[in-house]
Amino acid sequence: YTQAATHEEKDTYYQLLIRSKKFNQLKPIEKQQYEYYSAWYHPVIRELIVSKDFDGTAEWISKRLFPEVTEAQVEKSFEILEKLGLVEKNSQGQWKQTSTLISTGAEVSSLVIMNYHKNLLDLTKEVLEKVPASQRDISTMTLGVTKGRLSQIKKKVQEFRQEILKLVAMDTEPEEVLQLNIQLFPVTCSQEDDK
């Protein structure tokens, strides 16, 4: 889809993506699921359990996480994920996701989700100097814009997130987990705000 040369090709691949069973399983997480958002690593562990190399142990996950998370924290995460119905064990006793994609939705107003985002920003600060530039992409843009531009930029960011979700919807056995943060906020006040 992202590499299609023409609009027609893009449309064809887009139609395939939206018909994808995995993409259609996208489900927003409800606000009361505080525990899921209480630590940055719960969503990461949820993604790691479907890795083809996952051996089913908390030790394996603990060794894969950066920054470090203890085996006890991983075990607790398994409990939380299972209690929330986000993972379950199959008939062979192996963990699996009950739904492949989860989203908080486009607009975040819940205090719980706000705190989760703040924790991710803290995590970004923590790993910024520890992860080599070749393995990360952290950038910023300072934009001078007209008043109505913010809503247009927000819409583009939301569309970008949807494209990324469609792209990874095809990855049924992830080999690594990435954290993608997109940040946009005003750093100036309008003249009306000064009055």
Side-chain angles (χ1 to χ4, degrees):
Y1 171 77
T2 60
Q3 298 173 2
T6 67
H7 175 74
E8 290 76 24
E9 281 182 317
K10 231 181 216 303
D11 187 56
T12 300
Y13 289 119
Y14 179 75
Q15 294 301 322
L16 290 172
L17 282 171
I18 61 174
R19 284 192 300 255
S20 157
K21 180 180 178 187
K22 189 173 179 183
F23 183 71
N24 288 330
Q25 290 175 344
L26 181 66
K27 70 175 190 181
I29 289 184
E30 297 166 5
K31 293 177 185 177
Q32 70 267 24
Q33 294 173 324
Y34 172 80
E35 288 179 300
Y36 183 75
Y37 292 111
S38 65
W40 65 268
Y41 52 84
H42 296 314
V44 177
I45 290 171
R46 185 181 168 280
E47 293 301 316
L48 278 175
I49 67 163
V50 294
S51 171
K52 67 180 178 181
D53 297 326
F54 177 48
D55 68 2
T57 66
E59 178 186 10
W60 185 91
I61 296 237
S62 179
K63 288 180 179 178
R64 295 285 311 271
L65 294 177
F66 178 78
E68 186 177 322
V69 173
T70 68
E71 288 180 42
Q73 289 171 307
V74 173
E75 290 286 352
K76 180 67 175 168
S77 188
F78 287 162
E79 290 174 25
I80 290 168
L81 294 169
E82 186 174 32
K83 183 174 83 177
L84 294 173
L86 299 174
V87 299
E88 63 187 12
K89 288 192 174 180
N90 64 18
S91 58
Q92 292 83 34
Q94 298 167 321
W95 288 108
K96 67 174 198 141
Q97 295 176 348
T98 57
S99 178
T100 53
L101 297 175
I102 294 177
S103 172
T104 60
E107 293 295 328
V108 176
S109 57
S110 163
L111 178 63
V112 171
I113 305 302
M114 183 72 72
N115 288 340
Y116 176 69
H117 285 224
K118 289 170 84 173
N119 288 337
L120 289 178
L121 291 172
D122 290 340
L123 176 65
T124 301
K125 289 189 292 188
E126 182 180 340
V127 301
L128 184 59
E129 293 179 355
K130 297 177 183 176
V131 177
S134 62
Q135 295 178 12
R136 62 174 162 77
D137 188 313
I138 298 175
S139 59
T140 186
M141 298 169 64
T142 304
L143 309 167
V145 299
T146 59
K147 258 199 183 301
R149 190 69 65 206
L150 178 61
S151 61
Q152 292 174 327
I153 294 171
K154 283 181 62 173
K155 185 174 187 229
K156 290 287 186 191
V157 169
Q158 292 165 3
E159 290 169 357
F160 169 71
R161 284 198 318 258
Q162 288 299 312
E163 283 187 34
I164 295 296
L165 283 172
K166 291 172 193 168
L167 180 66
V168 302
M170 306 289 197
D171 296 344
T172 57
E173 294 182 337
E175 298 169 331
E176 62 183 320
V177 180
L178 306 174
Q179 183 68 46
L180 174 62
N181 298 312
I182 303 169
Q183 302 149 3
L184 171 69
F185 54 89
V187 291
T188 58
C189 296
S190 66
Q191 290 179 349
E192 290 83 11
D193 292 340
D194 293 338
K195 294 178 183 178

